Amino acid sequence: MSLRKITSIAELHKYLHAALQLEHATIPPYLTALYSLSPGTNSDAARVLRVVIVEEMLHLTLAANMLNAVGGSPELTRPGFVPQYPTRLPDGETDFEVGIQAFSREALETFLKIERPARSPEEGSGFVRRPRSEGAVLPTFMHDDDTEMHFYSIGEFYHEIGRGLKSLHEEMSARGENLFSGDPSRQITPDFYYSGGGEIIPVVDLDSALEAIRLISEQGEGIGGAIYDYEGEISHYYRFQQLVLGRYYQKGDEADQPSGEPIAVDWGSAYPVKRNARLDDYPRNSELHAAAVRFGTDYQALLGTLTQAFNGEPGLLEAAVGEMFRIKESALQLIRNPIPGMDGVNAAPVFDVRSSEGGDHE
Amino acid sequence: MNCQVDHTTAANTTYDAVIVGSGVSGSIIAKELSDNGFHVLVLEAGPGHEFTVPAYQQYLERFYAAPTKDNNSPYPENSNAPMPRSPDTRKLQPGETDGSSYLVQKGPLAIDSTYTRVVGGTTMHWEAKALRMLPQDFEMRSRFGVGLDWPLGYQQLAPYYRKAEFELGVSADVEDQNYLGMDFGDDYVFPMRRMPPSYLDKMLARNLDGTEVVLDGETYSLAIRSTPQARNGIPNPGYDNGRGYTPVGAVSVHPAEEGGRCQGNINCTPICPVQAKYSAKKTLAKALATGRVDLLAQTVASRVHVGPDGRVSHIEYKAYRDPSSSEHTTGTVRGRIFVLAANAVENARLMLASGLPGRSGLIGRNLMDHAYLLTWGLTPEIAGSLRGTQCTSGIEDLRGGPFRRRQAAFRVGVHNDGWGWATGSPYTDLDEFVDKQNAFGAALRHKLVDRLSRQVLLACMVEALPEPSNRITVEGGYKDSLGNLRPIVSYGISDYTMAGVSCARQLSRRLYQRLGAEDCTTYSPIDYGYVSYQGDGYVIRGGNHWAGTHVMGDARNHSVVDWRQRSWDHENLYLVGAGSMPTIGTANTTLTLSALSFLSAKHMVRELKQHQATTTAAANS
Amino acid sequence: MSNGAENLQDFLAFSSFVTGFPLFRLRGTGQAEPYLSTVVKVVGDGTTRELLSRFRAIQTESGDDVTAMEASLRARILSDERLGPIARNIIKLWYIGTWYQLPAAWRDAFGVLEHDSTFVVSPAAYTEGLLWPAVGANPPGAKGPGYGTWAEPPRFPDVP
């Protein structure tokens, strides 16, 4: 898929769908790293990962609220919504690979790249001219001269959504139309969503939409790359960095120099899960294969429940919470099972079973 | 968190208030006083001053690894501030005194109630049911000719109930709770919506709603009703005139994103793994955040000293570093007012150990606890037991009525967690199937589903009246490892309560009959809680709702504290908590004692402000 | 143990048969190794091997005949005065993560073993107990199924 600068509601919908896909894309790698931790070890790391995942879920829901507010309908079940891992995300001039793997230093390096504050060096140059890498999550951007551009970073992608929202809103208001014409009953409100990872914002106008974008950007990257976000919470980048540097941040710290309590990370205490596992890594007709298929099917079902919840049945979020807990248990069981015939390698959940076995990825 | 002060600094400070105990009463009072600018010292006998998730995790891991999962199993053994534990309870022979564990039992009945001596107190293990008392519960003497009247009534306490429901974070719907004269005010909603009723509750409601009971000529129609709980649910957007409510999650100095909402861990007692359940640590954390509260943990108040003017001059303590060693230091702390908030047993114990039995002679007397009669059965169909919070619903219709002239009122809690409390299930069931029924493999799995998923336990919580003979005392021979006198409990159950017990048993039989459930209840004569009444035997369990040992009243000769919980004998001393309650009705005591704490704190603030004004005036003249 | 991997396979095969849970589910608890080492630590390597090799023999002799295998298990292991109580303890290990002290009669007959007391193998052994998932529930204090799930009918995993 490729995008143009947001000049129409149709383009805006495409961007917001891409945002949903993007916010979801980080969840499988984070979840797998979290679930791979050996029980009773690395409780600090587990807590840090958990906090970030909870906030990513919030971001996903905020993206759904934005899309609903401008008359779109979130769809999380279509083929390709779950990226085929490894996938790629932008990091300034280049892309980097995001895969599914056990908790490790290498996994943390990737997570830091995902969350790294990266605005383009100069205003208005939020794009990079280079060919699209295979499996990139973010769509490319088609320049007016029809050359393919890339977002410099996730931050630039959201920047464009914010810009598009503002300009469409102004244009339409001038014509006496309302960009935010979506049915407010489709909004996910605090009645239905409570996580502790920040409050859900119902999106009903330009202000609330920009507020949602601000929250997503700042929880990930902090304010302009600062350690803390608007709510005074540490941004994802610096949360992860605490694990790498082995120390918590405390108020008053400078970036990259946390001075709080030490964190002991046991980098070796994780199940050795198969990196970017696919269904055909598991012997046909084995209990393991069946369990992996079950996991993938349940994961699709969860995305289906979320889709319904985001399409006028917000009460279903309660059921989705139960599904998430069940999926966690299934993932843990997979991760603790060695793969027959692969010495010292354990199974891992496969999040998209449809594209994982044979066939082409869309 | 700025919570620790060293003993030397504390000894050299005259605090506005010295509070003994960091449980719910002490924490609320510390928060209210510090919010008003006053400087407060909290003494806590037990450990647990870390306000972090990893520290809490240690409680959880201790619970997981404990072969016996009793109320205090998550909390460390500590001979310097020991706590009663239910597995320590032994059957008493007539006239026997059992001094083998911390709580010395004189009988005639052994009581298995406990409390927890760590920072946060017994709210660390409480189940978090948060029922208000009924208006009639405050007027037992004048309405029914039994028990005592309170010096204040429901209407006076109502605004403080609201404060308590905010502080504890209660989930309930007013529509379910306005029975038997409980008035919530026109505009009131609880901070959070009610906990969803369990699948079991709904099965029971379908079959049991409308059951009629006739008592003393009056007919009561029963209903399965949602129970208010101090546990995070879905915030009610209408709370506080539409300003809403933000649930308080896990106590943590680092973002934990836990405790937002109950996950159904079915383990409210003894420990909620995610801190969705309220504990006093949540309030204490707010108090400490004011920067005006100092906390000294592992510091056991050992003696209250009274000056010639009758006012408390200072409190002596014993502080220890290592819970496994009795090595300790002693010291004293001073304040303008002193607040004993160490629970009904420990407050009385400390006063008596200080040689302060009071002019009324009532300190330690009138000990009350709810008598629990457990009944259990198997539903005819799968009920999905062992899921949810421990209790989501109950039967409240017999909490009040004219029959209270003759017999105790009671409520019936529907337990989602199976027979565990009564029989030791599921462990005992597993033993039975594996060791006696010789089941294994698929057959064993089928038996487990068939037995465990159909379990229902109806816990009948029966009221007790204040009886002077039920009491806490101390004697020189019984000391703990720091040399502090241990509490001695004398406890029996009155015929008034037993009449309620018997009525509850008869009702539960009818409920099982109506459900078509197999009534599996049995009471063994060798059980420590076995009581005979009118030819039938029952087993009584304690409710951990210790109360009454320093009752409040209108007259100094007939009560220990006034309606503000201020000591009649020592005007700068407050004894707070369920010990002040003259009756306990059929409500778990925590919500009411929290409301009382807010009420008392208001008067303490007034008193301290007056004191400030006087000293300022004196300095200026 | 000289041949750990082989013993683990035998231990899992035995455990699956006596608990009624498939191998994938047993391994999914992450407790196979700790449970086997618990048994070895308490009753010794020799007795553990004896139990497992007796089970292997039963398996080989019975082939696909499950009824015959069950009868044989009862006759040769569960009713064996020495191995029966150990086998029952292994069932309980998987279900609740607790090793129970062997019965007094066992201790009288075969001697008191140094590590034979009632203990929970580890905090994780408790939370991974199979008793609770067997009845569609979670171990109290862990693996909470999520807000409001208790209002729905229970789901039980299939019994093979």
Side-chain angles (χ1 to χ4, degrees), chain A residues 47 50-51 55 191 194 196 239, chain B residues 53-54 234 237 247 254-255 257 260:
Chain A
R47 269 187 292 278
R50 200 180 160 277
V51 169
E55 293 188 351
D191 283 21
Y194 178 79
R239 279 184 208 270
Chain B
V53 171
I234 294 177
H254 305 295
E257 317 301 10

Side-chain angles (χ1 to χ4, degrees), chain B residues 309-333:
Chain B
D309 56 356
R311 295 170 63 91
V312 174
S313 54
H314 59 282
I315 286 180
E316 201 177 313
Y317 66 75
K318 296 177 180 175
Y320 58 94
R321 244 176 227 280
D322 177 359
S324 61
S325 154
S326 62
E327 202 176 301
H328 64 273
T329 56
T330 58
T332 58
V333 289

Side-chain angles (χ1 to χ4, degrees), chain A residues 190-195 315-326, chain B residues 170-173 191-198 226-227 229 231-236 247 259-266 274 276 387-389 392, chain C residues 138 143-152:
Chain A
D191 283 21
F192 301 105
Y193 189 97
Y194 178 79
S195 72
L316 283 175
L317 279 183
E318 203 172 294
V321 169
E323 290 180 54
M324 286 177 209
F325 280 97
R326 281 198 292 280
Chain B
V170 175
S171 294
D173 288 350
M192 288 168 284
R193 296 227 162 94
R194 73 173 190 182
M195 288 279 137
S198 67
S226 174
T227 307
Q229 342 206 352
R231 138 172 37 260
N232 288 336
I234 294 177
N236 194 328
R261 211 159 66 175
C262 169
Q263 299 175 342
N265 278 286
I266 198 97
V274 295
R387 300 178 308 144
T389 80
T392 33
Chain C
N138 59 295
K143 300 178 188 263
Y147 182 80
T149 49
W150 53 83
E152 294 158 29

Side-chain angles (χ1 to χ4, degrees), chain B residues 125-145:
Chain B
H125 95 224
W126 77 315
E127 194 200 311
K129 286 201 188 91
L131 297 107
R132 292 187 183 190
M133 286 175 68
L134 304 175
Q136 60 184 255
D137 292 337
F138 297 86
E139 305 164 7
M140 291 298 288
R141 170 60 59 181
S142 43
R143 284 221 206 187
F144 307 115

Side-chain angles (χ1 to χ4, degrees), chain B residues 68-111:
Chain B
T68 305
K69 299 198 177 337
D70 65 285
N71 284 348
N72 280 331
S73 57
Y75 310 103
E77 294 274 359
N78 177 4
S79 61
N80 295 332
M83 19 190 186
R85 293 185 65 167
S86 47
D88 292 337
T89 319
R90 310 252 178 280
K91 189 170 178 70
L92 293 172
Q93 299 308 317
E96 182 194 357
T97 297
D98 177 10
S100 61
S101 55
Y102 176 63
L103 187 64
V104 180
Q105 304 239 11
K106 271 204 158 153
L109 191 67
I111 182 168

Side-chain angles (χ1 to χ4, degrees), chain A residues 20 60-70 74 186-189 200-203 310:
Chain A
L20 278 171
L60 180 70
T61 312
L62 287 170
N65 272 358
M66 284 195 274
L67 184 50
N68 269 319
V70 295
R186 293 165 66 92
Q187 290 295 310
I188 305 297
T189 61
I200 186 76
I201 300 166
V203 178
F310 294 157

Side-chain angles (χ1 to χ4, degrees), chain B residues 386 426-427, chain C residues 95-97 125-140:
Chain B
L386 307 186
Y427 302 95
Chain C
Y95 272 91
I96 53 174
Y126 167 73
T127 62
E128 293 301 330
L130 290 170
L131 182 145
W132 292 280
V135 301
N138 59 295

Side-chain angles (χ1 to χ4, degrees), chain C residues 29-85:
Chain C
T29 65
Q31 300 302 309
E33 292 86 352
Y35 288 162
L36 176 57
S37 39
T38 297
V39 177
V40 170
K41 188 179 91 178
V42 179
V43 304
D45 191 28
T47 304
T48 308
R49 276 167 181 278
E50 199 182 330
L51 172 72
L52 297 181
S53 59
R54 207 178 283 189
F55 178 74
R56 191 155 40 162
I58 291 169
Q59 225 178 357
T60 314
E61 288 162 28
S62 312
D64 291 337
D65 187 346
V66 177
T67 313
M69 196 160 149
E70 285 177 353
S72 208
L73 181 83
R74 290 198 167 94
R76 292 162 64 185
I77 294 180
L78 294 174
S79 61
D80 183 280
E81 286 179 70
R82 194 161 64 89
L83 298 181

